[in-house]
Each structure stands twice: as C-alpha cells, then as structure tokens.
Amino acid sequence: INVTKAKYTYGTNGNGFTTPQVIHTGSAEYCKIAVDKQGGVHVAYCDKINGDVYYAYAQNYKSAFTTYLVDSYMMGGTELSLDVALDTNNKPIPYISYYGNSIARPKIAYLADASKLGNGAESDKFTQKWEVSVVPTTSIVVEDHFNVGAWKNSSGKLEAPTTTYANTIYKNLKTGTGKSGYVYDGSGTKKGYPSRYFDYKNNGVLVNSGNCGQVFGNGTSNPVVGYRNKVGTKGFIETAQMK
C-alpha cells in the first residue's frame, strides 16, 4: 500500500493533489507525518508483517522520498508517534516513539547526527546512526498511543529555554493565565513560542485547546515520551524524559 496516498499542493493555483509517491511496497501501519520549518517532509511507520520501524524523508513536498530502516530488533514497534526539530545547522532531527511489542516497553529512536542520515539497523544489527532506547519503566505499559515531543523555538530549532522562561510557562499552566498567542518571560519580553504548544487560559478564557494525545518538551532540549500504564484496574499517564 502507499504510506502516503497523495501529497497536497499547498499553493494557490488550485491544482489540488500531486501524483502519489509509493514510500513502502509492503503493508504499513501507524503512519505519522510531520513537516519541519525548512519544508522537509518526514514520515514514520512500521511494517505490519515484520514489525520493523521505518522512516522516510523528502527535502520538500515536490522531492522524492528516501526510506531508512530504523529498528528491526525482533517485533520492533507499533503505535508510532513522530516529532521533528532542527539542530543548530538547520538539519532535521526526527524523534520516533513506539511500543516495543517483544519487550512490552516504550521505545524511542532519534537520529544521532542530523548530518549523517542513514539506516538505524542493517541485517538486524544497529548501525549507531540512530539512538534507539528502551524506556526503563517498571510499570505495566498498555499498548496504546505512544507520543513523543521535543522542545523547539519559533524557528523550529531544538532549544532549552532559560530557567526564568521555563518557570513562567509552568506558572501560566498552573494558574491558567498568560497572554494570548505567545508566552512572555519574566521581563515581559515576547519569546515567540505559539500558544499551540500549551493549553492555558488568558484571563480565564481558554486560549487554545485540542492538543489531546500530544506531548511537548518540558523546558529542556531532551525529548519526552508520554504513554499509558496500568495499575490494577486503573490507568495512568506516565512520562519519561531522556537525560
């Protein structure tokens, strides 16, 4: 099947859809797509038969996709999620989180060096081009939505905000206050981070909503994974952050 059935032409000429590109010729599931601030198009998916995790990249919506094998260890993963941040050289770093079926644990994979895009696994052996990690949780993890997020600035670059800025965000989230559209630091300087990164209120009025099922960075440049676990008959949301 086509992982991407069609690519939308987002110009103003009204031509609609471009010719579909076949990214994967097998049976693909849990397909996720993201577009970075440079216009690069990223797709993550798993092979239904082997459970292998794949990543495909195109420099822009008119370019051809190149596909890379990320993780082929046993039954690699399902319930994929994808986020993309740019490094200091504007090279994209894809982050993929997924459920490791063989180990019943969350897993995360990201490109170790954005300038060296390649396979994460070859002949079932890791190449070290991707960092592939198991989240060492002791919880009983439910095979449900696995979501990953990395902290980015308004230019889409991976960034760790200042302590003052992070504390201001926390205060906005906790008290339900903030300025519509952007979050401001302690001196009143607009930081340029769209409010879509948060669900909070402006003077008691909900500014943004609808981010259910998404996870965003928590004020550091390290990716965060969110997933559901089970304790007895109850379920909880658990998050894990890479050091």
Side-chain angles (χ1 to χ4, degrees), residues 133-155:
S133 303
V134 177
V135 176
T137 178
T138 57
S139 303
I140 299 175
V141 180
V142 181
E143 185 178 2
D144 201 344
H145 297 288
F146 285 72
N147 301 285
V148 66
W151 190 270
K152 300 178 287 290
N153 63 20
S154 58
S155 299

Side-chain angles (χ1 to χ4, degrees), residues 225-241:
V225 179
Y227 49 90
R228 186 165 69 94
N229 62 35
K230 183 178 180 182
V231 179
T233 59
K234 297 181 179 180
F236 300 90
I237 302 298
E238 185 172 283
T239 60
Q241 176 184 335

Side-chain angles (χ1 to χ4, degrees), residues 9-226:
T9 302
Y10 48 85
T12 58
N13 55 11
N15 289 336
F17 292 94
T18 62
T19 303
Q21 289 194 45
V22 178
I23 297 176
H24 188 77
T25 57
S27 182
E29 289 187 327
Y30 304 105
C31 307
K32 295 295 187 295
I33 187 170
V35 179
D36 63 49
K37 284 288 187 175
Q38 298 295 313
V41 184
H42 310 260
V43 178
Y45 61 95
C46 76
D47 182 278
K48 182 178 179 180
I49 304 301
N50 299 314
D52 297 340
V53 175
Y54 284 88
Y55 163 77
Y57 171 70
Q59 189 172 5
N60 55 62
Y61 76 100
K62 293 183 179 180
S63 302
F65 280 88
T66 303
T67 302
Y68 304 92
L69 176 60
V70 176
D71 186 355
S72 62
Y73 177 73
M74 300 179 72
M75 289 297 291
T78 57
E79 302 287 352
L80 274 69
S81 178
L82 171 68
D83 195 12
V84 180
L86 302 175
D87 69 2
T88 55
N89 296 315
N90 285 323
K91 296 289 186 179
I93 306 172
Y95 296 88
I96 306 172
S97 64
Y98 46 102
Y99 178 73
N101 298 75
S102 301
I103 55 178
R105 290 291 183 273
K107 298 184 75 174
I108 180 174
Y110 64 92
L111 193 61
D113 186 340
S115 64
K116 298 179 181 179
L117 182 57
N119 289 324
E122 294 177 352
S123 301
D124 290 335
K125 295 181 179 179
F126 290 112
T127 65
Q128 300 184 23
K129 290 185 178 180
W130 288 71
E131 292 284 351
V132 180
S133 303
V134 177
V135 176
T137 178
T138 57
S139 303
I140 299 175
V141 180
V142 181
E143 185 178 2
D144 201 344
H145 297 288
F146 285 72
N147 301 285
V148 66
W151 190 270
K152 300 178 287 290
N153 63 20
S154 58
S155 299
K157 289 187 178 181
L158 192 67
E159 181 176 294
T162 63
T163 302
T164 300
Y165 178 44
N167 288 340
T168 302
I169 293 170
Y170 171 75
K171 180 180 178 182
N172 286 343
L173 291 171
K174 185 177 180 181
T175 62
T177 61
K179 297 184 179 182
S180 178
Y182 293 87
V183 173
Y184 291 64
D185 67 12
S187 64
T189 302
K190 186 171 69 174
K191 302 301 292 187
Y193 290 75
S195 64
R196 65 182 178 84
Y197 285 102
F198 321 100
D199 285 343
Y200 66 91
K201 295 180 180 179
N202 178 26
N203 297 324
V205 179
L206 186 65
V207 172
N208 185 54
S209 186
N211 284 333
C212 298
Q214 294 187 22
V215 174
F216 300 96
N218 64 347
T220 76
S221 58
N222 302 319
V224 176
V225 179

